Amino acid sequence: MFEVAKVGHRVDKQAFKAQRDALRVELLEAQRALRDSQIPVIVIVAGVEAAGKGEVVNRLNEWLDTRGVQTFAFWESSDEERERPRYWRFWRALPPRGEIAILFGGWYLAPIEERFGGVCDDAALDAELRRITDFERSLTLDGALVVKFWFHLSEADQKKRLKQLSGDPRSRWRMRPKKAKFSAQYQRFEAVAERVIRRTDSGLAPWYLIEAADRRYRDLTVGQTLLQAIRNRLQQPFPPESAAAPPSLDPPDSTSAPTSRLGQLDLTQTLEREAYKQALKRYQRELNELAWQAYKSRRSTVLVFEGVDAGGKGGAIRRLAQALDARLYRTIPIAAPTDEERAHHYLWRFWRQLPRAGHIIIYDRSWYGRVLVERVEGFASEPEWRRAYAEINDFEEQLAENGSILLKFWLHVSEEEQLRRFRERENTPHKQYKITDEDWRNREQWPLYKDAVDEMITSTSTEYAPWTLVEGDDKRFARIKVLQTVCDRLRAALGEG
Amino acid sequence: MFEVAKVGHRVDKQAFKAQRDALRVELLEAQRALRDSQIPVIVIVAGVEAAGKGEVVNRLNEWLDTRGVQTFAFWESSDEERERPRYWRFWRALPPRGEIAILFGGWYLAPIEERFGGVCDDAALDAELRRITDFERSLTLDGALVVKFWFHLSEADQKKRLKQLSGDPRSRWRMRPKKAKFSAQYQRFEAVAERVIRRTDSGLAPWYLIEAADRRYRDLTVGQTLLQAIRNRLQQPFPPESAAAPPSLDPPDSTSAPTSRLGQLDLTQTLEREAYKQALKRYQRELNELAWQAYKSRRSTVLVFEGVDAGGKGGAIRRLAQALDARLYRTIPIAAPTDEERAHHYLWRFWRQLPRAGHIIIYDRSWYGRVLVERVEGFASEPEWRRAYAEINDFEEQLAENGSILLKFWLHVSEEEQLRRFRERENTPHKQYKITDEDWRNREQWPLYKDAVDEMITSTSTEYAPWTLVEGDDKRFARIKVLQTVCDRLRAALGEG
């Protein structure tokens, strides 16, 4: 695979200057066009030790307008990063639409290092590479341009380069972990690199192998490749509808769906007043203790509430919050995205909000908006919400892998009960603000929502993040069911240790 | 002072329930009105050990709609927080307009603890309290409502309460630092508290002393006080123009100002080509080394560039960036604020962008926009930009105290040279995008800008953050002056150790 990168291209000084000057003007122009477009650009700079990745990145920063470029190295991790899933730091690095982010290694660094170091085997590496592929597909289908450069040196060239570096006083104090190890293991590294590149090279996010032996050739090629990639992307329609088939999950055909889970709910269940008061006291006390236990065990909890309007989300959340120490939780109401959030992938804002270890985050509406209101109202196209199920499952899986405890609640009421509550709000002065035209409109759309909800539950109910359907006609019953479910789940999760 | 809080108020269960229910409805209504207003609310909860601050905060979260409230405790500090000035974490906690933030102790915690623990003396405490007063004034004049509660217990009540807590299994594992110490030092603590409250009690941000012995009385009083404070604030005009006099700095009267600093610049200075190339090479190499040194010493550098349009900011920044490793710096172009930024104090976005220790941040335009374009175009009222000088000096002082190295550059060109550059841009195809109507308009406004610039330089040139005026007619001269100044400053700062 790397033979193509050992051809021995060279560029002399004169030719370099001429081409570089032209390239600079064109890159700046392309960057301006980018700014006007909706396209975020992610450049991954990876490759063998001593290939000069730092030099290349500095060169790019010189040629581009640095005001629209940000560079990220992932040397040092902060404790805030360590307390969150591994990809949190990468999501933070994603550029807003129209800007460029250059990542040293990015999400390739750790898998390569771990496989090379023997910390994981090929099977584990492949699993991580599948995650990378899904992640890059999600970004590119959302409109991003992902450009990946692999810088290669022959064994002889690398040896020569490393020798030069060790002699340079300035490089000695640069952070270069495990240099001796890499150079001594050239062959092994090449094997790992080949596996990684082969499995993550795709039409949407291709790898470009760059021969790094001659600096001028290397830098010019990178600049020209990046320029071409940007120009090609600018010419494509947005969003890239014609791109790769939607990922693994087969969405069920709603006409042949099994009986709707919602239809199976027995909404007549009630809980009488005295039993409610007893249960409320008991579960709130238990929840308070479990929350402190989770805090001490550094286990985060993510609670998601979705449901029909007037379904009781607010009331259920309040009974949870009442039981919790204010320092341990945060309630986040999800509504229309801000400018900054719209400039990113729809999941970006949720990644950003992930709490530090041991805290609880309660979502009043959530990322499921993608497959609910955005589907029904057409804010998201069909390819977009269809692929959202897998994107959401992957997001939640990463949270779970990081030790988070996830619960998702759909609060449901019958159409009659909903109408009754709507009327009650309209007729009660201090509750009138709660009922809007949008609520009535959503009610009319119920048949469409019903299909969306059924599909959502089927497609995203996983072992690590199950859906709990809550019979909401009786408020007391609903609140206790929510409290009890949260307690049971926390108890089980913390009990495991 | 605290006698008023030892009266022995009590509220019985019946009365509590009745008042609480009414209070809840009114608080929710006030909160809704807040949401529609432009008013952020900051609630500080402070007081003696065991007064039940946690209970009060939980109660407030119960009574308010938690979706518009966020609670912050400052128990644990992350390394990201430790690498930045102390107030960074408080600026991060500031709520957007229309929302409420409840802070346990907030910026009072550390000063009180340090004085009580003998880590600092009265003089140091007073200096910190003056900073707090300036900070709170800055927030309130910007429109925020700052409500400060001090919860008090008599010595006997505190002793009783602490005994109860030590017997409660749940409280044993709550993080309660130095409990024995505080209770044993009741008198000393009361003296510190009295000093703090007296010096930071102001018309704009008053302290409310709350007797905490009876829980129901305590909670009702907090709720009612907060409600009243919100209502009063909602009735005031915004911004509070009639509020306290502008802070300490006397802005110079421009008609009697000494000869303008700008007028004294010798714009005929040039640097010929060969000397330029030598100097460029030399200073860029030196800067590269100094930047790595700063990184290793964990000293951050903040470079601010302001100047007339076509003054050469971009070119100067590029010559700096060329010399730096991309991993160590970031260039931030400052333009109109985003929605999220507009929902906060104008300095909030700059606090948020502060880099981790050892990194360099280059501002292409900056917070000085407040006293330049916002002053000239009227985006900021006169009281607002007049008080900005002191706010900016305080901000920069905090950066300097934290070890950051600050430099501010004003790049200046003569009116003739500016006209020449404008014409050149208009006539060069790939530079045309650089010239806009706004540039021509700003040029017409130059007399107003001149006054603004002169006043800015006079009012904000400090020892820790000096202004450097750069004679920009000759681009080569300007770039070397910038590079040399940065190198000299870094060398001096790092040399000090």
Side-chain angles (χ1 to χ4, degrees), chain B residues 41 65 140 280 336 440:
Chain B
V41 178
D65 181 347
T140 49
L280 189 68
W440 288 106

Side-chain angles (χ1 to χ4, degrees), chain A residues 213-483:
Chain A
D214 181 72
R215 289 182 167 86
R216 294 184 208 116
Y217 170 79
R218 176 195 69 195
D219 295 353
L220 269 185
T221 309
V222 168
Q224 285 158 349
T225 307
L226 180 60
L227 175 65
Q228 202 50 51
I230 292 176
R231 284 177 167 167
N232 290 346
R233 183 65 191 78
L234 283 167
Q235 277 164 13
Q236 280 171 22
F238 175 73
E241 298 273 10
S242 52
S248 38
L249 205 64
D250 272 316
D253 170 22
S254 58
T255 53
S256 69
T259 313
S260 157
R261 295 274 310 275
L262 288 180
Q264 289 174 322
L265 290 178
D266 174 8
L267 296 169
T268 64
Q269 297 185 74
T270 59
L271 188 63
E272 59 92 17
R273 193 179 170 76
E274 261 316 302
Y276 169 70
K277 290 172 79 171
Q278 300 280 13
L280 188 68
K281 206 170 194 171
R282 170 193 161 185
Y283 286 116
Q284 285 185 333
R285 174 167 258 262
E286 193 182 350
L287 178 59
N288 183 276
E289 290 172 10
L290 288 167
W292 279 106
Q293 216 182 305
Y295 177 76
K296 286 196 303 166
S297 317
R298 316 298 275 160
R299 300 285 298 274
S300 293
T301 307
V302 180
L303 305 176
V304 170
F305 286 86
E306 294 283 353
V308 296
D309 297 306
K313 290 191 302 304
I317 290 174
R318 272 195 61 216
R319 271 58 187 194
L320 284 171
Q322 273 175 1
L324 299 170
D325 188 294
R327 284 163 281 207
L328 295 188
Y329 79 93
R330 186 181 168 198
T331 311
I332 300 188
I334 292 300
T338 64
D339 285 357
E340 203 175 350
E341 291 166 351
R342 253 193 300 267
H344 286 85
H345 189 283
Y346 75 96
L347 284 178
W348 179 81
R349 63 165 151 166
F350 302 108
W351 272 98
R352 199 161 75 130
Q353 289 159 348
L354 289 183
R356 294 194 64 179
H359 293 255
I360 300 171
I361 194 162
I362 302 174
Y363 275 102
D364 186 342
R365 298 198 190 286
S366 65
W367 43 92
Y368 284 99
R370 186 71 160 180
V371 298
L372 296 172
V373 62
E374 291 191 36
R375 163 179 172 168
V376 171
E377 297 292 342
F379 299 144
S381 68
E382 184 165 345
E384 288 181 326
W385 60 255
R386 283 219 171 280
R387 70 177 137 87
Y389 299 122
E391 292 173 335
I392 287 171
N393 285 338
D394 176 69
F395 171 48
E396 294 178 354
E397 187 178 30
Q398 294 192 46
L399 298 186
E401 281 171 6
N402 200 52
S404 293
I405 302 157
L406 285 102
L407 287 108
K408 293 146 30 180
F409 295 96
W410 174 267
L411 269 72
H412 197 66
V413 294
S414 62
E415 289 187 68
E416 299 77 32
E417 176 59 20
Q418 185 191 47
L419 185 59
R420 198 193 65 74
R421 292 185 186 180
F422 276 10
R423 293 246 161 83
E424 189 191 324
R425 287 177 177 183
E426 286 189 324
N427 298 330
T428 314
H430 72 267
K431 285 197 180 184
Q432 270 161 3
Y433 76 96
K434 282 185 164 203
I435 184 93
T436 64
D437 288 343
E438 209 177 292
D439 294 323
W440 288 106
R441 175 183 162 70
N442 291 342
R443 186 177 159 81
E444 274 168 52
Q445 302 272 61
W446 176 242
L448 291 174
Y449 272 105
K450 187 175 166 309
D451 284 345
V453 175
D454 276 328
E455 196 166 340
M456 171 184 85
I457 292 168
T458 311
S459 307
T460 63
S461 216
T462 52
E463 188 216 319
Y464 48 84
W467 273 102
T468 300
L469 304 184
V470 181
E471 299 84 346
D473 274 23
D474 182 84
K475 289 185 181 181
R476 293 193 287 253
F477 178 87
R479 291 165 186 172
I480 296 304
K481 179 161 178 175
V482 167
L483 269 164

Side-chain angles (χ1 to χ4, degrees), chain B residues 416-432:
Chain B
E416 299 77 33
E417 176 60 17
Q418 187 190 46
L419 186 59
R420 197 193 67 71
R421 291 185 187 181
F422 276 12
R423 295 247 161 83
E424 188 192 325
R425 286 177 177 183
E426 285 190 325
N427 297 331
T428 313
H430 73 268
K431 286 196 177 182
Q432 271 160 4

Side-chain angles (χ1 to χ4, degrees), chain A residues 58 67 76 295 326 340 364, chain B residues 58 67 76 295 326 340 364:
Chain A
N58 287 345
R67 289 171 294 187
E76 357 162 277
Y295 177 76
E340 203 175 350
D364 186 342
Chain B
N58 286 344
R67 287 173 296 190
E76 356 160 280
Y295 177 76
E340 204 175 349
D364 185 343

Side-chain angles (χ1 to χ4, degrees), chain A residues 24 32 58 66-67 70 76 78-80 173 292 295 318 326-327 330-331 339-340 356 364 433, chain B residues 24 32 58 66-67 70 75-76 78-80 173 292 295 318 326 330-331 339-340 364 433:
Chain A
R24 254 214 94 215
R32 277 196 301 282
N58 287 345
T66 65
R67 289 171 294 187
Q70 209 181 336
E76 357 162 277
S78 64
D79 49 19
E80 294 211 17
W173 33 252
W292 279 106
Y295 177 76
R318 272 195 61 216
R327 284 163 281 207
R330 186 181 168 198
T331 311
D339 285 357
E340 203 175 350
R356 294 194 64 179
D364 186 342
Y433 76 96
Chain B
R24 254 215 93 213
R32 278 197 301 282
N58 286 344
T66 65
R67 287 173 296 190
Q70 208 182 335
W75 297 329
E76 356 160 280
S78 65
D79 50 19
E80 293 211 18
W173 34 253
W292 278 106
Y295 177 76
R318 271 194 63 215
R330 186 181 167 197
T331 311
D339 287 356
E340 204 175 349
D364 185 343
Y433 76 96

